[in-house]
Amino acid sequence: MQTYRNMRFGGLMAAFLFLTVGLFVSLPAHSKPPSACAPTTFSLSGSNVDNLWKQVTNNQWSKMLPMNWQDNGFHFYSRVRERGPDAGISTPSDLESEIRRGTATTTTTANRYQITLPVQNSSGSNLKVFYDYAGGKNAKCQLVTLSF
């Protein structure tokens, strides 16, 4: 017959195993950027892609984004309007060209990825597009910010 101590230890081990397996199953694979958000999938559309950033409204920006990309809250849009022209990205079309030439990599934050653009500041730091992607059937590539 098992003693209370043995039953308690067995129960604790089972709980530990359950939590450990559950943690690993729920963690996303973060080994490489998702193909759904590859830089080559970033293709803007519409008649405003060649307008200067100061002439593009957030509504126009939202409509020109590819179907699998989004910019909720327009933080990315405000950053590219602010930092883009100084980096030679004067229009949405310029941004598209640079993103498509960029290199996608992972970050240390879960579900966050970056595209390193071939644009450098005076310190030699590359401009980076940060985006989130959680995966799943209807998941979208969520633009986060543009930063050196």
Side-chain angles (χ1 to χ4, degrees):
M1 184 167 168
Q2 288 188 344
T3 65
Y4 174 74
R5 184 177 182 177
N6 288 344
M7 289 189 321
R8 196 174 100 205
F9 179 75
L12 288 174
M13 288 302 293
F16 175 78
L17 181 62
F18 177 78
L19 290 173
T20 304
V21 169
L23 177 65
F24 285 117
V25 169
S26 67
L27 287 176
H30 202 68
S31 59
K32 64 179 186 169
S35 60
C37 302
T40 54
T41 68
F42 194 83
S43 181
L44 300 173
S45 62
S47 60
N48 299 307
V49 295
D50 292 320
N51 290 353
L52 296 175
W53 281 111
K54 63 183 178 181
Q55 298 169 334
V56 176
T57 66
N58 57 5
N59 190 38
Q60 292 168 333
W61 166 245
S62 181
K63 288 180 180 179
M64 70 176 71
L65 286 172
M67 293 277 289
N68 60 325
W69 290 83
Q70 63 185 11
D71 183 8
N72 289 342
F74 300 103
H75 179 77
F76 181 86
Y77 164 79
S78 66
R79 289 294 181 226
V80 75
R81 280 182 62 137
E82 174 188 324
R83 298 175 178 157
D86 291 340
I89 300 174
S90 302
T91 66
S93 180
D94 294 341
L95 176 67
E96 175 187 349
S97 296
E98 296 302 337
I99 286 177
R100 292 173 71 83
R101 292 178 33 208
T103 305
T105 56
T106 60
T107 66
T108 57
T109 304
N111 298 331
R112 178 144 305 163
Y113 303 89
Q114 70 183 27
I115 300 171
T116 304
L117 306 182
V119 175
Q120 293 183 337
N121 64 8
S122 59
S123 304
S125 298
N126 284 74
L127 190 59
K128 296 177 184 83
V129 171
F130 289 91
Y131 65 93
D132 291 340
Y133 183 75
K137 184 177 180 181
N138 297 319
K140 295 191 178 243
C141 312
Q142 173 63 48
L143 292 165
V144 176
T145 194
L146 181 74
S147 181
F148 280 103

